[in-house]
Amino acid sequence: MEGQYGPEWPSEEKVKRREMVAPEARYIFVRQSSNAITTQNIMKQDSRLEFTHEACNEDRLIGFVHYRFVLEEDVPVVYVYELQMESSAQGKGLGKFLMELVELIACKSQMGAVMLTVQKANNLAMAFYKKLRYVISSTSPSRVDPLIGLEKNYEILCKAFESEAKSILEEGN
């Protein structure tokens, strides 16, 4: 994450660590499991070969989404704090799947929208969210005051599911 935050990372890291352990934090984890059998050849003293087989179970975290249920401009929303995928897992649809799960959770919980913050320098993330039909929110600094927006290194994006949320969070009415 440090690369996306640049020189602001030392102070942002402390904030991120606090956010991640807050009681209201919710997570969906993606784990990769691989079950394999390894074979070993062992040469015995009498020149016989002996084969041994061992089961090898590997389970590792390859991605996660961290979200919360919050109010933004008096509209109940699911706010995505982090979507992280290991580089080997990127481009395989897992990030899209996680975002679709979050959107489903938001809809089933009668939330008005899903919102998130993305670093302007993270061009891949900006394109990813645009493809998923997220738009720059009316609450984003660049829409609140373009001069302040130029100074900020992030945008707030949203995807509204109902008309009131769309009016407030996307259109700014």
Side-chain angles (χ1 to χ4, degrees), residues 34-77:
S34 61
N35 297 324
I37 296 177
T38 59
T39 303
Q40 235 180 353
N41 300 331
I42 301 171
M43 178 69 79
K44 292 291 194 174
Q45 285 181 338
D46 59 4
S47 299
R48 286 183 305 124
L49 274 180
E50 184 176 287
F51 299 98
T52 61
H53 304 287
E54 290 181 6
C56 175
N57 295 324
E58 183 183 335
D59 185 30
R60 62 188 183 98
L61 181 68
I62 60 170
F64 70 92
V65 61
H66 163 204
Y67 64 96
R68 295 186 193 182
F69 296 93
V70 300
L71 284 175
E72 287 288 330
E73 303 293 318
D74 294 323
V75 176
V77 303

Side-chain angles (χ1 to χ4, degrees), residues 16 30-31 68 87 103 117 120 131 136 140:
K16 290 287 176 197
V30 179
R31 303 187 79 74
R68 295 186 193 182
S87 59
E103 291 169 13
T117 303
K120 289 178 183 178
K131 191 174 177 181
I136 297 174
S140 192

